[in-house]
Amino acid sequence: MTKKEIVKTISEEIGLTQLKTKEIVQKTFDAIVNALVEEKRIELRNFGVFEVKKRAARKARNPRTGQRVDVPEKYVVTFKPGKEMEERVRQLEREAAEAARVRESALQPLDPSSEVSGTPPTPSSTTETFGSPQSFGTNSGGNG
């Protein structure tokens, strides 16, 4: 999602013009950046914590040449999501896993004998239906 899309969504929800909403959104971002520069930390309840941390100098390796390179220390911004955000993301994971299970069960071939008994197909019934694993993918036509 882009800043423009955020502005459009908020503008539609609260009934302000996109121009006024864009100004408010930009002022919010500016305030976050200024707080990070001045305070090194900003905590937004139910959202998360932005923090400026110093990364120590280190040795690295240039992947093209393999030559060792000195990487100087630097400041980076880190983000730790709040509990509410973490929970909503975990919910996404659970929904994705459930959707994958549903798709997987819909794609599995059914063995008519297992449908009645409720047992999964046996390896021998699968082999009889689809051929032996050794012959799978081989070219038995002699073409090459």
Side-chain angles (χ1 to χ4, degrees):
M1 177 173 254
T2 64
K3 182 166 62 170
K4 186 175 186 175
E5 292 168 328
I6 291 171
V7 166
K8 185 175 187 231
T9 301
I10 293 172
S11 171
E12 290 169 356
E13 285 183 19
I14 63 176
L16 286 177
T17 66
Q18 285 191 24
L19 194 61
K20 190 66 178 170
T21 305
K22 180 181 177 185
E23 185 180 336
I24 293 167
V25 169
Q26 188 58 54
K27 292 279 186 196
T28 303
F29 291 158
D30 291 344
I32 291 171
V33 171
N34 289 336
L36 283 171
V37 169
E38 294 171 14
E39 314 275 329
K40 307 283 190 262
R41 176 183 166 93
I42 182 167
E43 183 175 334
L44 304 170
R45 298 275 180 208
N46 297 321
F47 185 75
V49 178
F50 293 93
E51 198 167 14
V52 175
K53 292 185 177 180
K54 183 162 74 169
R55 293 270 191 252
R58 61 187 173 88
K59 303 273 189 208
R61 194 170 296 278
N62 182 329
R64 287 189 182 167
T65 64
Q67 182 180 6
R68 289 181 59 97
V69 179
D70 290 330
V71 177
E73 70 178 23
K74 65 178 180 177
Y75 289 92
V76 296
V77 177
T78 61
F79 176 74
K80 183 176 189 278
K83 288 180 183 177
E84 186 176 321
M85 184 185 297
E86 286 272 347
E87 181 53 39
R88 290 180 69 183
V89 169
R90 273 194 221 103
Q91 181 62 34
L92 273 176
E93 290 173 355
R94 288 190 288 267
E95 289 169 4
E98 179 61 27
R101 278 194 293 276
V102 168
R103 276 193 310 273
E104 187 176 296
S105 66
L107 293 176
Q108 295 209 352
L110 292 177
D111 182 0
S113 63
S114 69
E115 195 170 346
V116 174
S117 67
T119 58
T122 61
S124 63
S125 66
T126 304
T127 303
E128 291 168 11
T129 305
F130 299 110
S132 70
Q134 291 80 15
S135 66
F136 183 75
T138 59
N139 187 352
S140 58
N143 293 336

